Amino acid sequence: MPTFCDTITLMFEADVEKIQETIAQIIPLNQNAIDEAKQYQALLAMPPESMGELLKIGQRLSGITGNLHNFLPKKRIVVLCADNGVADEGVSSAPQSVTASQAVNMTKYLTGMSSLAKHFGNEVQVVDVGIKCEYDCDAILNRKIRKGTDSILHGRAMSLEEAARAVRIGIELAEQAKTDGVSILGVGEMGIGNTTTSTAVLSVLTGVDADEITGRGGCITDKMLEHKKTVIKEAIAKSHPERENVLDVLSCVGGFDLAAMCGVFLGAAKNKLPVVIDGYISIVAALCAKRFCLLAGDYFFPSHLSEEKGYKIAMNELSLVPYLNLGMRLGEGSGCPLAFEIIDSACVLMNEMATFEKAKINDSYLDELRGKN
């Protein structure tokens, strides 16, 4: 009869195998479809490339789906909720009870993100992967690993087994979205202390010192900010994460929310689903996913420029440029409903804008610009 330790080992092996299989099934974008989209856009009744980034979005969507004309009727924001033990070190102004309260409020469409999602008709899926405090809400999907991680200041946040499990949970959420007919995903979070863990992960992955990228998260004093930097640096020094091993980095200084979000990004790429990055925690999770698999990054779409200091560094690592600069720093996935509308606009151009021929415009005046003799 297998022992408890044997069972844990088998589960870990199955989770790692799932991650490896997912990575192996992520393929490059369809270049023929991208080229076809570019050729079609050249026929649209406008000066060449005059709709800028919207045209590039249309091209990437074609590369993902293989279709010239794309429609995104079903949009879902997946919100991974978990508490982080590092909150006990005084790095956040909010108590951990807020994680549970806001997770519940999201299901009632009462938070910043969920109110926007409701307005635009987006689905919101709230998932508990490690909420510490008790709550009563059947609308929250229970995928709890345990009640919060350990403090990164005193050792690993979680075991390697738990990290692998969290990533697998995220992958499976993306797979379920595909089965449910979701057209595009957004990735959000709720977890007190997760700007601290995200900064620690970003510092390890990029080699940038925590002093340069640690921000104020949900508003903290100057004294708390300096303490937060110290906690991050000491945590990294104690656990010595293997920079090239993303699972080890997540295990040492990450969070259940962050690891599961990483899994959603990987699962979306595997299932050829465009997926939108929200704010700071979301973009660090996306960077983790890209470090797992370089090709996965082709399926990621930015939303807004977060006010957190490390956001630009993570964005540069992903070679992306945010669509919006609205001074936002809420998190939750709040940038996703806005980005969905922009991405929808790119579809409108491809699907409804007239070509020169249909508009009955002689476009020969553009021949020189197009390089024709």
Side-chain angles (χ1 to χ4, degrees):
M1 178 179 293
T3 66
F4 176 74
C5 290
D6 290 335
T7 302
I8 294 295
T9 300
L10 289 172
M11 289 174 60
F12 176 57
E13 290 174 352
D15 291 339
V16 171
E17 183 178 352
K18 178 68 173 181
I19 296 168
Q20 292 172 337
E21 288 177 353
T22 297
I23 291 170
Q25 292 177 60
I26 297 173
I27 64 174
L29 301 189
N30 185 327
Q31 189 58 49
N32 289 336
I34 293 173
D35 292 341
E36 184 182 2
K38 290 179 180 179
Q39 292 165 9
Y40 180 76
Q41 289 169 348
L43 303 176
L44 296 176
M46 61 179 176
E49 301 180 4
S50 57
M51 290 301 282
E53 192 65 31
L54 291 178
L55 300 180
K56 295 178 183 178
I57 292 171
Q59 292 163 19
R60 274 221 288 152
L61 287 176
S62 291
I64 291 171
T65 68
N67 301 320
L68 180 61
H69 300 289
N70 289 286
F71 302 87
L72 305 172
K74 190 169 185 177
K75 305 172 180 68
R76 176 179 293 176
I77 302 167
V78 183
V79 187
L80 288 307
C81 305
D83 282 295
N84 297 272
V86 73
D88 293 336
E89 309 302 335
V91 295
S92 175
S93 59
Q96 287 186 301
S97 59
V98 172
T99 302
S101 296
Q102 283 295 76
V104 172
N105 286 331
M106 286 178 189
T107 69
K108 299 176 180 179
Y109 297 94
L110 297 175
T111 70
M113 172 279 298
S114 57
S115 59
L116 287 172
K118 180 180 179 181
H119 175 77
F120 290 119
N122 309 150
E123 295 181 1
V124 175
Q125 183 181 55
V126 183
V127 187
D128 175 3
V129 287
I131 296 175
K132 182 177 181 178
C133 298
E134 297 296 325
Y135 60 87
D136 182 15
C137 182
D138 292 338
I140 295 176
L141 184 63
N142 184 5
R143 295 291 184 271
K144 192 191 295 287
I145 297 168
R146 62 179 161 96
K147 292 185 176 182
T149 57
D150 298 323
S151 172
I152 62 175
L153 187 58
H154 305 296
R156 286 181 179 267
M158 67 192 87
S159 67
L160 281 169
E161 289 83 359
E162 289 171 327
R165 182 60 188 153
V167 175
R168 178 174 182 167
I169 287 169
I171 290 171
E172 291 174 343
L173 290 169
E175 290 176 338
Q176 186 61 53
K178 183 71 171 182
T179 300
D180 293 343
V182 171
S183 314
I184 185 170
L185 281 174
V187 183
E189 43 64 42
M190 183 64 230
I192 301 304
N194 61 12
T195 61
T196 300
T197 52
S198 295
T199 301
V201 169
L202 181 62
S203 179
V204 174
L205 292 180
T206 62
V208 179
D209 191 271
D211 284 333
E212 298 181 37
I213 57 176
T214 303
R216 295 182 182 274
C219 296
I220 54 177
T221 64
D222 290 345
K223 184 177 180 180
M224 290 175 71
L225 177 61
E226 292 307 310
H227 175 61
K228 183 177 178 180
K229 293 176 183 177
T230 300
V231 167
I232 292 169
K233 288 186 287 187
E234 289 185 5
I236 294 171
K238 284 182 179 179
S239 59
H240 299 292
E242 298 176 26
R243 182 176 177 181
E244 304 303 321
N245 184 339
V246 182
L247 198 64
D248 187 65
V249 176
L250 289 168
S251 170
C252 286
V253 294
F256 293 141
D257 45 2
L258 189 61
M261 293 165 77
C262 170
V264 175
F265 282 111
L266 287 173
K270 174 221 169 183
N271 287 279
K272 297 183 180 180
L273 279 174
V275 57
V276 173
I277 299 166
D278 175 38
Y280 184 48
I281 291 84
S282 188
I283 199 167
V284 174
L287 179 58
C288 288
K290 188 171 180 179
R291 291 294 176 88
F292 267 118
C293 177
L294 190 63
L295 289 175
D298 292 340
Y299 295 81
F300 305 165
F301 291 78
S303 57
H304 67 100
L305 175 64
S306 170
E307 289 284 281
E308 278 295 299
K309 289 177 68 175
Y311 190 88
K312 289 182 180 179
I313 290 173
M315 186 64 76
N316 289 338
E317 289 283 328
L318 290 169
S319 300
L320 294 173
V321 178
Y323 300 140
L324 300 165
N325 185 357
L326 300 172
M328 294 169 59
R329 54 182 177 84
L330 174 65
E332 298 182 5
S334 53
C336 298
L338 304 176
F340 287 162
E341 295 302 299
I342 293 172
I343 296 169
D344 255 348
S345 299
C347 294
V348 168
L349 294 184
M350 294 294 289
N351 300 335
E352 300 182 23
M353 189 173 180
T355 61
F356 282 104
E357 182 179 8
K358 186 174 182 179
K360 298 181 180 179
I361 297 174
N362 184 341
D363 62 337
S364 60
Y365 70 95
L366 293 172
D367 284 353
E368 185 175 352
L369 287 173
R370 292 170 174 163
K372 294 181 179 180
N373 294 322

